[in-house]
Amino acid sequence: MAVEVSAPAKAILFGEHAVVYRKPAIAIPLSDLRARAVVRPASDGITISAKDFGKRYNITHSPIREGQEGYALQQAVLKTLEHIGVKPQDLVLEIKSDIPIASGLGSGAAVATAIVKAVAKFHGKELTDDNVNKIVYEIEQIHHGTPSGIDNTTIVYERPVYFKKRVWFLPNKTKHLKVGATMHFVIADTGIRAETKGIVADVRSAWKADKKTFNRLFNDIKKITKKARKALKNGSAEEVGKLMNENHALLEKMGVSSPEINALVQAARKAGAYGSKMSGAGRGGNIITIVPARKLEAVVSALKRVGAEHVYTTTLRKTS
Ligand code: MEV
């Protein structure tokens, strides 16, 4: 029998990049934007079909080598099989995703999450979220080198998180976010694709070259993220917006924004958003903006007018 599993995209609200240096960050799942994995029985080993890219790999007959396209997909399947420890069945795994790649929305982690859950389920095993998260983090390392783990954690648990990476032998600190009032966000895509791995590596080089400046930037971001956690808890959207603006200014100083990102950030603010910032690794990808409900339409139109490729809205619901 075929099984189908999906996983959401994510957006970072506060603390990207600084989170790699063990500062706290806040992220939310984007439940309307998803990656899907469908597994069907087959008779010729294991085939992975990435329809969006027109690619098909039979990994039983032609294993994909490290560094080659499709390697992370193959590893998600193999690591799951290794983890569940059953005799692999012949199967076709079809992957479809609505999440734009290399745009800061966690498409790699969402695809990997859907694969891990679907392959386990197809073999009659249900993995705990903790176990899925461990496997997906290993796949993130293939994509990103030194990921903090915030993307996979937000996506696997599909919950807003306050996250802090810890040293390798301690579990990361993951707290589910408390939200005091329902808040509205708009996410807009510059249409420029940028690989997280390279940007994170550039930040590392810049940090090594000038630790004093970068440690100060990371610490200032940490203070903002902590204040944002309180503002979210108190339900103060206006304060959240102000803090997003401050976080964006620090990311600009870090050298990870771009003129295209800044154009969207400014357009949202001008159209009545409480605040806006880049989201994710930067140099392209998406911005996120917090908007009063009455201004949603105006902000969406303004972002489209200045050339956003896709515009999504999402709601962060008040927690009980
Ligand atoms: C990528 O979505 C967020 C970064 O902070 C990298 C990471 O946390 O692994 C830029």
Side-chain angles (χ1 to χ4, degrees):
M1 250 224 342
V3 301
E4 177 167 347
V5 177
S6 71
K10 70 94 201 20
I12 297 189
L13 274 185
F14 291 96
E16 51 273 270
H17 288 292
V19 68
V20 175
Y21 298 80
R22 306 194 202 289
K23 308 298 175 206
I26 294 173
I28 57 172
L30 305 175
S31 292
D32 293 336
L33 202 56
R34 306 189 77 86
R36 285 187 175 71
V38 182
V39 184
R40 293 193 176 83
S43 53
D44 188 24
I46 297 176
T47 301
I48 303 174
S49 161
K51 276 208 158 165
D52 302 338
F53 304 101
K55 299 277 179 195
R56 207 174 162 87
Y57 314 93
N58 184 305
I59 62 170
T60 306
H61 299 311
S62 311
I64 305 168
R65 281 198 301 274
E66 197 171 347
Q68 285 183 326
E69 204 182 51
Y71 180 71
L73 303 177
Q74 168 186 275
Q75 294 310 103
V77 174
L78 297 184
K79 281 181 187 292
T80 307
L81 290 171
E82 190 186 313
H83 186 89
I84 59 180
V86 297
K87 187 170 171 282
Q89 294 176 29
D90 290 352
L91 59 87
V92 175
L93 162 66
E94 205 175 282
I95 299 150
K96 293 181 223 155
S97 180
D98 302 330
I99 310 169
I101 56 162
S103 67
L105 298 182
S107 98
V111 166
T113 302
I115 293 177
V116 171
K117 289 186 176 177
V119 169
K121 198 168 171 192
F122 181 75
H123 289 85
K125 302 277 177 188
E126 199 85 42
L127 295 175
T128 62
D129 282 346
D130 287 352
N131 283 331
V132 175
N133 202 28
K134 274 187 199 134
I135 301 172
V136 177
Y137 181 69
E138 289 178 28
I139 307 305
E140 283 286 275
Q141 287 174 311
I142 299 172
H143 286 299
H144 299 327
T146 54
S148 62
I150 190 168
D151 289 15
N152 47 289
T153 302
T154 311
I155 286 167
V156 169
Y157 298 91
E158 201 165 344
R159 284 214 196 157
V161 291
Y162 179 87
F163 176 92
K164 198 169 157 202
K165 177 184 161 84
R166 296 209 286 182
V167 286
W168 65 271
F169 53 86
L170 289 177
N172 294 327
K173 185 172 162 188
T174 307
K175 296 255 187 261
H176 295 305
L177 212 58
K178 293 204 177 72
V179 184
T182 295
M183 297 182 192
H184 303 280
F185 294 88
V186 179
I187 290 131
D189 194 349
T190 59
I192 296 165
R193 304 286 162 251
E195 290 294 341
T196 300
K197 194 174 188 165
I199 306 165
V200 170
D202 285 353
V203 171
R204 187 163 295 277
S205 306
W207 170 70
K208 278 186 180 156
D210 185 357
K211 285 199 179 165
K212 199 168 158 224
T213 301
F214 273 72
N215 284 339
R216 191 177 311 129
L217 287 169
F218 296 148
N219 275 322
D220 287 349
I221 291 175
K222 169 180 148 182
K223 286 181 197 150
I224 290 172
T225 304
K226 286 188 157 183
K227 284 187 195 163
R229 187 187 189 185
K230 282 196 192 129
L232 286 160
K233 194 172 165 199
N234 296 338
S236 172
E238 218 170 325
E239 174 71 3
V240 172
K242 185 178 143 263
L243 293 166
M244 284 168 75
N245 291 346
E246 288 176 19
N247 193 163
H248 183 73
L250 296 172
L251 288 160
E252 274 192 282
K253 284 193 184 150
M254 213 183 273
V256 292
S257 191
S258 72
E260 295 82 0
I261 294 175
N262 292 343
L264 296 187
V265 161
Q266 293 302 340
R269 291 178 193 167
K270 242 175 148 176
Y274 288 131
S276 50
K277 62 180 275 295
M278 54 163 266
S279 178
R283 301 256 168 90
N286 280 268
I287 69 132
I288 185 158
T289 171
I290 183 165
V291 181
R294 63 182 191 286
K295 293 279 183 185
L296 271 170
E297 248 174 67
V299 170
V300 169
S301 310
L303 288 166
K304 286 184 180 161
R305 255 198 324 272
V306 291
E309 196 160 276
H310 303 279
V311 181
Y312 320 92
T313 54
T314 195
T315 302
L316 188 57
R317 303 224 166 269
K318 179 179 189 292
T319 49
S320 41

